[in-house]
Amino acid sequence: MTSTNRQKLAFAICDFLQSSIKSGVIKADDAEGIEVAIQCIGEAFGVDHSDAAQQSLHSIKPASLQTIFDVFVATQKKIGESKAAPAAAAAAAAAAAAAAAPAGPTAEKKAKAEGLKALGNKLMAEKKFADAIGKYTEAIALDDNNAVYFANRAAAYSQDGKHELAIADASMAIEIDPGYSKGFSRLGHAHFCLGEYQESADAYERGLKLEPGNASMTQALNAAKSKIGAAAVRSAPGPSAGGMPGMPGMGGMDFASMMSNPDIMNMGKPHLAQSLMQDPEAMNKLLSNPALAKMAGEMGKK
């Protein structure tokens, strides 16, 4: 299904909901919520149900979503009852698809869309980003299978601070034309602005595979990688609180107790060393000291 088919389907859904409100099928208490749903669907798929030009472009009249669905249900029922050949199902599906089949934009519409794109580019240069978005949207309404229009609107959305919408448009540009490197450039920029540096780097790398010599994308990729590296450094664990730099095996020793023990403090004095050599009992006394025994035990565990 092309993007034109999606817009026709979205337009048909909005038309069905609107007619259900007018006919009273939807209660008055629920109408406001349905109106909001219609608006959200229109914004998501770039269609305006109230716009006459778009009605001409996207409407499937005289067919409707209800009639197409009724035909489908009736066909399914008939197939189930008669166990008809698969050809019957194929014929029904073909009929439904034909009702919603898009007619590609005429040469006149394409020319008008190009003019709108040029106006959008001029507004971008003047930093009138919201107005530029409007012109690109009009161009898309006339020719929604043009990757350039979506990529340009993605750039305008990013400049206007609407990076999530920029990601959606850049992704659509890539879907329409996977070989269009600017689609990946717009995607990488939007992710970067949202702080999604890994996604940004991935997009730039894919774009550079299509256009290896692109200096702008290379510089942007390096910036994204720099952000990733900085985040990794910030998240790295620090040295153990109980250890000593360069002496990890000494982390379990209680230096405060050692320094307050008079026997240990006197070990460096000459008279203590001489006493230990002349009096074996003095050595036994030192080794029986609880602090030394605990220290020796802790060191033995390392």
Side-chain angles (χ1 to χ4, degrees), residues 140-202:
I140 289 169
L142 293 171
D143 183 4
D144 62 356
N145 200 38
N146 191 312
V148 175
Y149 301 162
F150 282 99
N152 284 13
R153 191 170 69 173
Y157 274 137
S158 277
Q159 290 295 333
D160 205 32
K162 300 174 181 176
H163 305 299
E164 292 86 355
L165 293 175
I167 288 173
D169 269 5
S171 299
M172 181 61 75
I174 293 168
E175 180 180 336
I176 293 170
D177 185 0
Y180 184 49
S181 64
K182 279 190 178 180
F184 293 103
S185 178
R186 305 292 190 245
L187 183 62
H189 178 73
H191 277 303
F192 188 94
C193 291
L194 289 174
E196 298 168 350
Y197 303 121
Q198 185 59 60
E199 291 83 351
S200 175
D202 292 342

Side-chain angles (χ1 to χ4, degrees), residues 103-114:
T106 63
E108 182 181 356
K109 287 182 177 179
K110 285 187 174 183
K112 186 176 180 181
E114 282 294 303

